[in-house]
Amino acid sequence: MVGRGVVKLLVLWVLLGFGCSVWASDCKKVVVKVKSASEIVLGISYPWWYNVGQMEVESGCIWRTSLDGWGSIGYAQITPVFWDRVLRRLFPGWRVKDSTDYFLAHAYVVKDCLKSAYCKKNLWNVYQCYNRSCGKVNREAREGSCIWERAFSICNEKYTESICVWRVNGSCKQWRMSCDINYSYGFKVWRAGKKYDPGVVEREWRYW
């Protein structure tokens, strides 16, 4: 269940435009492969629909390359400079569109974030680690006692910084504040993911 503080922040985001979806997406085409990969890598109890939601947020479930200027690949915008050395050994075909290896690679990256997250049962921490330095997200999660709205406030009060969000030929064309980017990302993954929730009661995991 989402707390009152979260609701207030989400309303504010919608009013400011952060809650609007960038992509007109149709992610049903990836559901089966995402679910299968999640069950293999993360286990059958893991709420795989948030992985679908993440792909919707990252790309609108359209196969794209380098939306961020770093050469990131595919539906989940996996960045080779950070992940290729590991992924090509485990999933040699991970760069190939719609390959099983790609979906397994994405689940593997989420699992790595899960291992690194401070709040391991609060999945907002996990997905925000995917989007930003996990050390920074964990710092705020720890200080905020794993409560998302507290962590967001702490980030804005103490740790916010300008981040390049659009890079062309090595030159930054657009900047945003790191806290707004990361915490709006966590919300968007939750909102998008709930659309693909098959109605399973989450006993082992919770998002907020």
Side-chain angles (χ1 to χ4, degrees):
M1 181 175 292
V2 182
R4 289 183 180 179
V6 176
V7 171
K8 290 178 181 178
L9 287 169
L10 301 190
V11 170
L12 177 61
W13 260 326
V14 170
L15 293 174
L16 292 176
F18 291 125
C20 300
S21 178
V22 176
W23 312 110
S25 63
D26 178 11
C27 295
K28 292 180 181 178
K29 62 186 179 185
V30 303
V31 164
V32 172
K33 288 187 175 181
V34 170
K35 182 176 184 290
S36 176
S38 178
E39 289 176 348
I40 292 169
V41 177
L42 292 157
I44 60 173
S45 67
Y46 189 84
W48 53 266
W49 46 93
Y50 294 122
N51 286 358
V52 179
Q54 184 178 44
M55 290 185 178
E56 179 175 315
V57 172
E58 289 283 354
S59 68
C61 296
I62 298 170
W63 188 270
R64 301 172 184 268
T65 300
S66 196
L67 292 177
D68 55 7
W70 290 97
S72 300
I73 294 174
Y75 304 123
Q77 289 291 281
I78 301 171
T79 308
V81 69
F82 301 128
W83 287 104
D84 189 53
R85 182 180 297 181
V86 173
L87 295 181
R88 67 184 174 185
R89 176 170 51 85
L90 298 171
F91 315 107
W94 83 268
R95 288 171 172 259
V96 178
K97 181 181 179 181
D98 291 326
S99 67
T100 298
D101 275 1
Y102 184 83
F103 293 94
L104 290 170
H106 172 237
Y108 178 89
V109 176
V110 172
K111 185 175 182 178
D112 186 81
C113 293
L114 179 61
K115 289 179 179 178
S116 300
Y118 176 77
C119 311
K120 297 186 184 300
K121 296 296 183 180
N122 298 81
L123 295 182
W124 68 262
N125 193 169
V126 175
Y127 289 99
Q128 287 181 210
C129 279
Y130 189 103
N131 174 253
R132 178 171 168 239
S133 163
C134 203
K136 294 180 179 181
V137 179
N138 285 345
R139 170 189 62 194
E140 295 143 19
R142 182 173 57 252
E143 293 182 30
S145 302
C146 294
I147 298 173
W148 180 84
E149 57 265 48
R150 288 185 188 173
F152 183 31
S153 294
I154 289 166
C155 185
N156 274 321
E157 290 168 5
K158 299 171 64 175
Y159 302 119
T160 195
E161 55 189 337
S162 295
I163 297 292
C164 179
V165 295
W166 182 28
R167 193 180 300 272
V168 178
N169 297 326
S171 176
C172 188
K173 300 297 183 181
Q174 183 179 354
W175 298 83
R176 280 183 60 195
M177 302 309 292
S178 59
C179 298
D180 286 342
I181 294 169
N182 190 237
Y183 283 81
S184 65
Y185 182 89
F187 159 62
K188 289 175 183 177
V189 169
W190 168 77
R191 184 186 64 175
K194 293 302 288 184
K195 293 190 296 185
Y196 307 97
D197 180 354
V200 176
V201 177
E202 298 176 46
R203 300 186 185 279
E204 185 176 348
W205 307 94
R206 61 180 181 271
Y207 197 90
W208 301 109

